[in-house]
């Protein structure tokens, strides 16, 4: 692989993720509306929302600190960076070795800490409440996520996502029991980390239940737009991590232009499926009480640990 | 050229002596604190810098030793510097340089006598730590160790008029001495009754496996008492906060690291012949210490106590690295063992830097507001913007967030844990990654804790609109205080961004200590990349990482500006349209920890008083206590009191009885000594 083609792939993938992320959000919302017998909004609605928000004047609380205004950009930057690490379209991207799965979890943690800090910045009661709940969910979701990734890392002997995907995509088709546990754990983490039902409800502003929405209450206009966009990229990144770990077939190698159309088509098909599944899950499940969230997530953590132990028992 | 530079050993000795001289000069009568502030502390900081440079050089040079004709007759002091000592001297020098600089500004408003005394004890304290690391025989080691304990004891009881400070100091002294006894016995076991206590002789002695394990246990608990490992941690959250902030920084940042030094020196170097069972014990105690530390830190509302509990936690992380390294080396995988050892030592350095910084930051808050209780703070980012910036760096670093330094060492620890499949023993192989899982949990809890600290102290609105306590200056850190914090903050960034340089240095330490470094492929990668084993397996490039994150963030900013506008209106906070807001409605530190109390309830000893619904003057109180007090410390204390009461029966207060005792003792001696 020559470097220029690699960089071209890298840029292409990063731009693709940023542009396609709201579409995935729109698709999930549309599916959910269908499942719930509502008239579905346009799949492009998230783009129009972003455009509307960017055009508005920002309203900021008087005593906001610079941290508050910096955070949306940091969040967006972190998520964009994550989108560059995950092998979405191709493996072997030139930027991939700069950060492995542990660093990827670190990026998500960095974004979480910044958003929690920004939520506490204004000093409103909801901000602090949201920050506290978000960190509560985060401290359990993060180790569960790491353990899931470690299980995959043990199978391929590497913490590089690109190596993991290469190993998993080009193996003989075999069912790994450890990956089954890890997959279940990953799904639970995905729901929690992306503020979806049953942990959080992205469509509510009910004081008693909101987590993520409580943190971004004070944001408006372009800041809010960046945060919403970052949230969309985060969901996209998580879904593609899941795809990369559990159904990686069809991914291209960086620099291989001929495989690209197939890779894009495969990705879109897999995402459409995953988005529909997410909508179905969200329709079937009810939101848990906040204090059941730790139980939900510790179950995820234990499943991931079980997956790791299974790997040692069965495959070693 | 190299001939002109002082030899590392001579130079380090000169620095230590220079610190002692500064301490002696501080005794001179002075009318104000100007001497201590303008000369003693800055000079001490310069000496620290020199020591850091010398230590760095010692890492790359062959070991050097020296015999000083001091001490008792026929028992001279042996000194030696090798890469391990060089590394720890670098840590001591570099961190103490920042703390001394800060101290030069910090003691601005205090009385001359008090500052002179602090300067005296402080410099004796740093000099004794240097001697601990230079010592090459058990005798000098114990002398330096005890000097360190005593000088820090006097620093802890600087505010000896407060009864709580006195009892904290006593507890510290007590546990320090329990540890010292264990260390002394450990040296005794290692020498095996031959009476030669130079480290060379101890190294050469071949212990039977049983005695080696006894020596290991003594060293582990002896040094562990100083490090703050459970269950011997109780002194740490009492003593560290009681001292003035630069001293807390020194104790938490550097002093507990001398215990890690001692542990590594004795276990790897002097005892040798490492066994993996030892590693499992270290791992278990390390994981317990780590989780205990962070869970109790989350319950604290006193900023300095909270930081002290985090020191307990970080010692646990270091022990986790050491334990893994013992497991790997003990089961015949020295390369993986070297990686784990390097991770542990890296975290030792990182913790020294960021914990020093955080304690200094808490000192600046204390100076400006007179507050230590988080529940009274709020909105300090507007009052103390510079302290807030440095504190943020420290908070992000300790939360193990990329691209700062805390992340690098936790990353290396994870990488070491991921080497587990090479182990043969199935149980050990699956236990090691489990400990990595606890590390992930502790890392995320730390992030939560520092969101709490930063969010409550620096962000939001000031909580109680109260009069500032006496002695509060009301202004941000300035001058020397800022330089001290800036130095340590720069350390957090540099250690995070250029990890491969540190890795090379630690590789040398590991190679000299265990005879084994990292794999060749790991060492030949370029300075941009941190590669612990092989590029295929894992790599991390913090510079590229940072560059991309900054570039992407900037790009987002510029794009938004270019295509839209930068218009901003300022208004009251919205808060879901809730009109009656007051600063008292913000989360407090205790409230922030509430979910953790809920999840981990059985771990805490909680005394919570909720007001009844018809209480006219409702008061809420919450007290969290450490369970260790009730099952360990108080029973032991009661036992000690009981035994002392029995022994006190001997004390009759009549001369004739005492003479009888003397007579009986002599008689007994005559029986034995014949």
């Amino acid at each position: 692989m020559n470097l220029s083609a690699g960089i071209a792939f890298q840029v292409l993938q990063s731009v693709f993720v940023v542009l396609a992320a709201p579409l995935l959000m729109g698709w999930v919302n549309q599916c959910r509306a269908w499942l719930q017998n509502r008239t579905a909004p346009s799949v492009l609605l998230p783009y129009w929302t972003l455009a509307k928000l960017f055009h508005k004047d920002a309203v900021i609380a008087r005593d906001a600190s610079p941290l508050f205004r910096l955070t949306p950009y940091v969040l967006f930057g972190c998520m964009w960076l994550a989108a560059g690490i995950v092998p979405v379209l191709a493996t072997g991207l030139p930027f991939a070795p700069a950060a492995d799965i542990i660093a990827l979890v670190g990026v998500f943690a960095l974004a979480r800490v910044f958003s929690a800090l920004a939520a506490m910045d204004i000093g409103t009661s909801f901000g602090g409440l949201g920050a506290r709940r978000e960190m509560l969910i985060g401290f359990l979701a993060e180790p569960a996520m790491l353990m899931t990734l470690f299980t995959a890392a043990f199978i391929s002997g590497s913490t590089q996502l690109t190596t993991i995907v290469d190993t998993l995509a080009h193996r003989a088709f075999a069912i790994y029991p450890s990956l089954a546990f890890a997959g279940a754990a990953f799904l639970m983490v995905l729901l929690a980390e992306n503020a979806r039902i049953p942990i959080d409800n992205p469509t509510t502003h009910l004081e008693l239940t909101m987590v993520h929405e409580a943190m971004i209450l004070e944001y408006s206009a372009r800041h809010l737009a960046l945060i919403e966009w970052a949230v969309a990229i985060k969901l996209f990144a998580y879904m593609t991590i899941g795809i990369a770990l559990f159904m990686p077939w069809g991914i291209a190698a960086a620099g291989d232009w001929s495989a690209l159309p197939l890779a894009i088509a495969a990705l879109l098909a897999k995402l459409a499926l995953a988005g529909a599944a997410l909508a179905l899950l969200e329709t079937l499940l009810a939101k848990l009480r906040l204090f059941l969230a730790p139980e939900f997530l510790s179950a995820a953590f234990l499943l991931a640990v079980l997956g790791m132990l299974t790997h040692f028992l069965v495959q070693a | 050229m190299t001939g002109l530079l002082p030899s590392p050993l001579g130079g380090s000795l000169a620095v230590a002596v220079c610190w002692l001289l500064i301490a002696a000069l501080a005794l001179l009568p002075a009318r104000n604190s100007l001497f201590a502030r303008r000369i003693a502390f800055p000079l001490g900081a310069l000496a620290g810098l020199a020591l850091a440079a010398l230590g760095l050089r010692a890492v790359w040079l062959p070991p050097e030793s020296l015999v000083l004709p001091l001490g008792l007759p026929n028992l001279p002091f042996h000194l030696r510097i090798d890469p391990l000592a060089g590394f720890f001297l670098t840590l001591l020098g570099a961190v103490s340089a920042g703390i001394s600089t800060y101290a030069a500004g910090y003691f601005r408003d205090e009385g001359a006598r008090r500052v002179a005394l602090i300067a005296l004890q402080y410099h004796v304290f740093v000099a004794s730590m240097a001697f601990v690391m230079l010592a090459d025989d058990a005798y000098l080691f114990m002398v330096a160790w005890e000097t360190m304990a005593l000088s820090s004891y006097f620093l802890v009881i600087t505010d000896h008029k407060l009864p709580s400070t006195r009892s904290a100091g006593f507890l510290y002294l007590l546990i320090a001495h329990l540890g010292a006894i264990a260390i002394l016995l450990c040296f005794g076991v290692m020498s095996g009754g031959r009476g030669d206590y130079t480290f060379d002789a101890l190294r050469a002695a071949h212990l039977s496996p049983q005695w080696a394990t006894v020596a290991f246990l003594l060293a582990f608990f002896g040094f562990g008492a100083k490090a703050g490992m459970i269950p011997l941690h109780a002194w740490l959250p009492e003593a560290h906060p009681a001292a003035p902030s630069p001293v807390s920084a020194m104790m938490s940042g550097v002093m507990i690291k001398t215990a890690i030094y001692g542990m590594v020196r004795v276990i790897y170097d002097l005892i040798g012949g490492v066994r993996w069972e030892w590693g499992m014990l270290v791992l278990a105690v390390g994981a317990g210490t780590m989780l205990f530390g962070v869970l109790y830190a989350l319950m604290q509302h006193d900023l300095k106590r909270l930081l002290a509990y985090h020191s307990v936690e970080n010692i646990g992380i270091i022990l986790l690295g050491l334990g893994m390294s013992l497991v790997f080396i003990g089961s015949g995988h020295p390369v993986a063992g070297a990686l784990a050892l390097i991770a542990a030592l890296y975290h030792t350095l990182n913790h020294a830097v960021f914990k020093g910084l955080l304690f200094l930051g808490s000192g600046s808050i204390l100076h400006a507001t007179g507050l230590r209780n988080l529940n009274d703070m709020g909105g300090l980012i507007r009052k103390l913007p510079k302290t807030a910036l440095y504190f943020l760096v420290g908070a992000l670093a300790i939360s193990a967030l990329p691209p700062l330094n805390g992340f690098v060492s936790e990353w290396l620890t994870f990488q070491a844990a991921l080497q587990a499949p090479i182990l043969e023993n199935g149980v050990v192989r699956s236990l090691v990654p489990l400990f990595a899982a606890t590390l992930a949990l502790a890392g995320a809890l730390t992030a939560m804790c520092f969101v709490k600290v930063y969010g409550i102290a620096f962000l939001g609105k000031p909580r109680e609109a109260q009069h500032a306590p006496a002695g509060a200056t009301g202004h941000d850190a300035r001058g020397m205080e800022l330089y001290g914090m800036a130095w340590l903050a720069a350390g957090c960034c540099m250690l995070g961004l250029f990890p491969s340089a540190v890795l090379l240095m630690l590789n040398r330490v590991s190679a000299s200590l265990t005879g084994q470094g990292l794999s060749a492929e790991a060492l030949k990668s370029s300075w941009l990349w941190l590669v612990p084993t092989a590029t295929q397996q894992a790599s991390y490039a913090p510079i590229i990482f940072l560059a991309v994150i900054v570039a992407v963030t900037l790009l987002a900013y510029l794009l938004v500006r270019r295509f839209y506008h930068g218009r901003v209106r300022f208004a009251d906070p919205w808060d879901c349209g809730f009109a009656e807001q007051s600063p008292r409605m913000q989360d407090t530190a205790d409230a922030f920890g509430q979910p953790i109390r809920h999840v981990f309830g059985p771990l805490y000893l909680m005394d919570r008083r909720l007001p009844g619904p018809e209480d006219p003057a409702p008061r809420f109180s919450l007290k969290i206590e450490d369970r260790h007090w009730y099952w360990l410390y108080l029973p032991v204390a009661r036992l000690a009191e009981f035994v002392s009461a029995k022994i006190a029966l001997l004390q009759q207060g009549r001369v004739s009885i005492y003479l009888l005792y003397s007579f009986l003792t002599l008689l007994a001696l005559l029986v034995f000594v014949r």
Side-chain angles (χ1 to χ4, degrees), chain A residues 37-224:
Chain A
N37 264 343
R38 289 185 283 127
T39 312
S42 158
V43 75
L44 299 178
L45 186 66
Y47 293 100
W48 300 126
T49 314
L50 289 181
K52 177 187 77 184
L53 287 173
F54 273 121
H55 277 108
K56 289 192 166 190
D57 283 11
V59 184
I60 290 181
R62 274 197 191 85
D63 36 11
S65 73
L67 192 74
F68 183 79
R69 299 176 68 169
L70 179 70
T71 297
Y73 297 98
V74 173
L75 286 188
F76 190 75
C78 281
M79 291 312 154
W80 202 348
L81 177 78
I85 302 172
V86 181
V88 177
L89 293 174
T91 58
L93 295 174
F95 176 59
D100 63 353
I101 45 178
I102 306 173
L104 185 67
V105 174
V107 175
F108 288 129
L110 186 68
R112 179 175 27 245
V113 165
F114 264 94
S115 54
L117 287 178
M120 297 181 81
D121 186 47
I122 308 289
T124 58
S125 39
F126 284 131
L129 179 140
R132 169 174 17 135
R133 291 175 176 177
E134 171 79 4
M135 293 316 285
L136 169 69
I137 290 168
F139 95 79
L140 281 163
E142 197 181 308
M145 173 81 174
L146 260 182
M147 286 307 111
T148 311
L149 293 172
F150 279 179
T151 309
F154 277 126
I155 291 178
S156 57
S158 163
T159 57
Q160 298 285 13
L161 253 183
T162 186
T163 317
I164 295 176
V165 174
D166 263 341
T167 322
L168 294 181
H170 299 120
R171 62 186 164 160
F173 185 81
I175 292 174
Y176 284 82
S178 54
L179 272 189
F181 281 113
F186 182 82
L187 180 65
M188 293 165 93
V189 171
L190 182 143
L191 294 174
E193 283 269 35
N194 288 286
R196 316 299 298 191
I197 288 175
I199 296 300
D200 191 4
N201 188 346
T203 55
T204 186
H205 279 127
L206 189 66
E207 293 90 333
L208 289 176
T209 62
M210 63 181 170
V211 181
H212 182 261
E213 291 299 317
M215 290 205 298
I216 59 172
L217 270 183
E218 298 300 321
Y219 279 110
S220 59
R222 60 175 183 279
H223 300 127
L224 184 59

Side-chain angles (χ1 to χ4, degrees), chain B residues 453-524:
Chain B
V453 170
Y454 203 81
I456 305 258
F458 286 99
L459 304 175
K461 297 194 193 80
R463 280 181 174 69
E464 311 285 328
Q466 53 174 321
H467 45 275
T473 60
H475 61 68
D476 201 351
R478 49 172 85 145
M480 296 296 254
E481 280 175 85
L482 280 184
Y483 300 140
M485 284 196 281
W487 168 253
L488 293 178
C492 286
C493 299
M494 289 297 131
L495 290 172
L497 290 178
F498 300 99
S500 47
V502 187
L503 194 76
L504 285 181
M505 179 171 128
L506 290 173
N507 181 55
R508 172 109 182 113
V509 173
S510 159
S512 84
L513 201 62
T514 64
Q516 182 68 52
L518 295 173
S519 66
E521 193 184 347
L523 297 174
K524 68 169 192 269

